[in-house]
Amino acid sequence: MVRCPDCAAEMDVDEDEVEEGEILSCPECEVEVEVVQTHPVHLNVISEESEEEEEEEKGEGEKVLLDEEEEEAEEAE
């Protein structure tokens, strides 16, 4: 039996049925965890911060593209 790294609830995870990189959800606290090792099973919480940072980076990339398009439009005028 494996415990959730966030709330310590027991999670029914069979090491023969999961793969590294697989994302699971805790039945108690509903946090998403990633399988980082299978024998024995080791889980890491997927932090919401890293997801937010990825979204921000995507947004910044879009902003840069918009800025470049605006500059090109100004140059064309």
Side-chain angles (χ1 to χ4, degrees), residues 35-50:
V35 178
V36 293
Q37 181 179 325
T38 57
H39 296 284
V41 174
H42 183 76
L43 307 173
N44 276 352
V45 174
I46 298 174
S47 71
E48 291 180 20
E49 260 181 36
S50 65

Side-chain angles (χ1 to χ4, degrees), residues 65-77:
L65 290 175
L66 291 175
D67 289 344
E68 289 175 359
E69 289 173 0
E70 288 174 5
E71 287 175 15
E72 289 173 4
E74 287 175 7
E75 290 174 3
E77 291 177 1

Side-chain angles (χ1 to χ4, degrees), residues 45-57:
V45 174
I46 298 174
S47 71
E48 291 180 20
E49 260 181 36
S50 65
E51 289 176 9
E52 289 173 6
E53 288 172 6
E54 287 175 14
E55 288 175 12
E56 287 175 9
E57 287 173 6

Side-chain angles (χ1 to χ4, degrees), residues 4-7 11 24-26 28-33 45-46:
C4 171
D6 196 48
C7 72
M11 296 178 63
L24 306 173
S25 181
C26 174
E28 293 294 319
C29 69
E30 298 181 0
V31 72
E32 289 188 333
V33 294
V45 174
I46 298 174

